Amino acid sequence: MIRIGYPSGYWGDDQAAPSRMLESAADLDYLAMDYLAEITMAILKRQQERDETLGYARDFPALVEKLLEDLVDQDVTLLANAGGVNPESCKDAVMEVAANADADVSVAAVAGDEILERIPGLREQGIEFDNMDSGRSFETVADDLVAANAYLGSFPIAEALDEGADIVVTGRCIDAALAMGPMIHEFGWDPDQYDNLASGLVAGHLLECGAQVTGGVFLDDWEDVDFMEMGYPIVEMDADGEFVVTKPDGTGGLVNEATVKEQLVYEIKDPNAYHTPDVTADFTTPQLNQVGENRVRVTGCEGTAPPESLKVSALYRDGYKAQLLLTYSWPDALNKAERADDVIRGRLDRADVALSEIRTEYVGYNGCHDGISPRPEDPNEIVLRIAVKADGKEAIDSFGKTAIPIAIAGPPNVTPLVSGRPDPEPVLSFWPCTIPRDAVEPTLTVESTGVN
Amino acid sequence: MLELREIAHARSGDKGNIANIGVIAKEPEYYPIIEEHVTAARVKDHFGDLCEGEVERYPMQNIHAFNFVLHEALGGGGVGSLYLDNQGKTYSGAILRMELDVSIDTDD
């Protein structure tokens, strides 16, 4: 049995969670951490364009510095997709931290996921990269592409561990791979042991959003969850693919069948066929059983062969957006906000501001559930939210200049929710597409500090 | 009449412009009620203009749940969406407001 902790669900998650987990959880074998959202890849790509040694999560080496002593003492292997678009440089930075601390560790970088520069050549070979959701042709975004990475699977990570890595940094891989790599390495699961791989995937899926499986965003009985000292999840995986989801003793949060069920359904489409590079898992097969306090056993996962293509995470420049937020108070808060919206839209029309999209919401009424939530009878305050999108920055500037005077020359009892004119924010939109598996070659480099 | 929230809990999220909502029966005996009353057509109707595309429903009997996949439901999705909730994180709350023409005895 191996124990894998997952103290980070996204870049920006609780910085103290990894060390708290090392302190509070006995006998951990692996710590896995997710850093990469789709949008992160584009931000990191821009950083790398300015400085070729950047393009990874820059706070990761500092985190390694903080954790290193405990990792070495407790013999815990660390895995993170903190490599972003530049896993090699991330590895170098981690090596430097380890060498400075006189720690004898091996660091691995898994890469090969980046395909941005290769796309023109691949298209000449007949790979389309058309939008897999909308069917739109790649031609329409070809010139605006800013990042493109194939989602790698778990086997390159397992290989890094086979080579003796103590710390593994990767670029874009499926989030669950950071947990599955150690299982494949430890138990020697073969690429065609689909039921075991499906178990690993389900475990990884439950772990990959950190505290979301241990009571975070839990909708059933959320009042009973201690969010203060949130316990992050641990999976205890057996060689045969049966596992327990739990959290360190003495921490907050909650693990029961209901918290695990909620995370099992999180961000899935057809549960009968959850496609990944390693296996197609059937999420209608796992059986859940509470086997102790904050312990849920998962058994019976089944899987079949993975698809022949890999998903690609691509982003393209898609203009700018901005939002105006004005609070209106009682009496007649909602009527005032609606009147202000009318006037602002009228002025925008008159000034012929070139917006491609405009949306109005009344926070306190329909900001979240537009068309579903009932109109409140007499709310004390309503926030008018007008969000706009345009191809150019100039139109966004005009929107601000045209809309803002409403604060004085409009309905009364108004105070801005945020100060100043709305800032144009560049929009990088997601372009989901696929690439044939054999067009992507994962790479692995392992290096040791050789101290001692 | 009963509100779906009395017999189910849920979690929602996004995949681009697609929102998914997993609706989980609080007790196994509530699963058939959800099966009968919370159809894909009913969910499509409930979300109105918020969901411009089709709604698919997938049973997950192993956990007494149904997964609803709402196409074109997030104003374009991702950072390009102008929705306050561009990732559908609050849609699990929205579905639980649904009223079902059923009467049952719940414990609480």
Side-chain angles (χ1 to χ4, degrees), chain A residues 128-197:
Chain A
E128 304 279 1
F129 298 107
D130 289 346
N131 189 305
M132 59 188 272
D133 289 343
S134 68
R136 244 172 87 194
S137 163
F138 181 80
E139 289 293 342
T140 59
V141 295
D143 296 338
D144 294 312
L145 217 60
V146 290
N149 298 75
Y151 280 92
L152 301 182
S154 311
F155 282 88
I157 296 172
E159 204 182 319
L161 298 170
D162 293 345
E163 302 265 323
D166 304 297
I167 298 172
V168 182
V169 295
T170 76
R172 185 74 272 180
C173 57
I174 60 163
D175 298 341
L178 299 168
M180 287 174 76
M183 300 169 196
I184 294 165
H185 161 70
E186 293 272 351
F187 304 132
W189 292 345
D190 291 324
D192 63 353
Q193 283 182 283
Y194 297 128
D195 290 347
N196 285 342
L197 293 171

Side-chain angles (χ1 to χ4, degrees), chain A residues 212 216-220 258 261-263 265-271 283-286 321 357 359 361 367-370 372 374 385 387-389 427-428, chain B residues 9-15 18 20 22 24 26 46-47 50 58-60 62-63 67 69 75 79-84 89-94 96-97:
Chain A
Q212 282 199 181
V217 306
F218 184 42
L219 196 152
D220 195 27
K261 284 176 184 177
E262 281 195 19
Q263 192 55 21
V265 299
Y266 183 65
E267 294 186 347
I268 63 170
K269 291 195 266 193
D270 179 358
F283 278 26
T284 70
T285 55
K321 67 173 184 178
E357 215 181 314
R359 177 177 172 82
E361 292 164 341
C368 292
H369 305 156
D370 187 16
I372 304 173
R385 175 177 185 269
V388 297
K389 209 169 152 183
V427 173
L428 297 170
Chain B
H9 58 112
R11 180 165 297 183
S12 56
D14 71 315
K15 289 269 184 200
I18 294 171
N20 97 293
I24 304 156
K26 287 189 182 212
H46 183 71
F47 276 85
L50 266 189
Y58 298 98
M60 297 177 76
N62 56 325
I63 56 167
N67 186 41
V69 178
V79 283
S81 167
L82 297 183
Y83 285 19
L84 176 64
K89 304 278 189 193
T90 70
Y91 284 17
S92 52
L96 293 182
R97 195 194 284 277

Side-chain angles (χ1 to χ4, degrees), chain A residues 206-325:
Chain A
L206 293 172
L207 287 170
E208 71 187 35
C209 296
Q212 282 199 181
V213 72
T214 54
V217 306
F218 184 42
L219 196 152
D220 195 27
D221 301 330
W222 63 268
E223 300 96 326
D224 300 337
V225 180
D226 168 14
F227 298 116
M228 202 51 205
E229 296 294 332
M230 204 61 178
Y232 279 67
I234 294 169
V235 154
E236 301 173 352
M237 177 60 80
D238 289 325
D240 63 2
E242 298 194 353
F243 65 92
V244 168
V245 182
T246 185
K247 67 183 185 67
D249 292 339
T251 58
L254 180 69
V255 180
N256 61 28
E257 288 180 26
T259 69
V260 175
K261 284 176 184 177
E262 281 195 19
Q263 192 55 21
L264 190 67
V265 299
Y266 183 65
E267 294 186 347
I268 63 170
K269 291 195 266 193
D270 179 358
N272 305 289
Y274 187 96
H275 296 298
T276 73
D278 304 312
V279 62
T280 296
D282 184 347
F283 278 26
T284 70
T285 55
Q287 298 294 322
L288 313 183
N289 283 293
Q290 185 100 35
V291 291
E293 195 185 357
N294 292 309
R295 293 177 66 80
V296 171
R297 188 158 187 81
V298 182
T299 57
C301 300
E302 292 176 17
T304 52
E308 278 308 306
S309 53
L310 302 178
K311 253 184 79 177
V312 172
S313 159
L315 290 142
Y316 64 100
R317 279 185 298 267
D318 191 18
Y320 296 84
K321 67 173 184 178
Q323 60 177 343
L324 174 73
L325 295 161

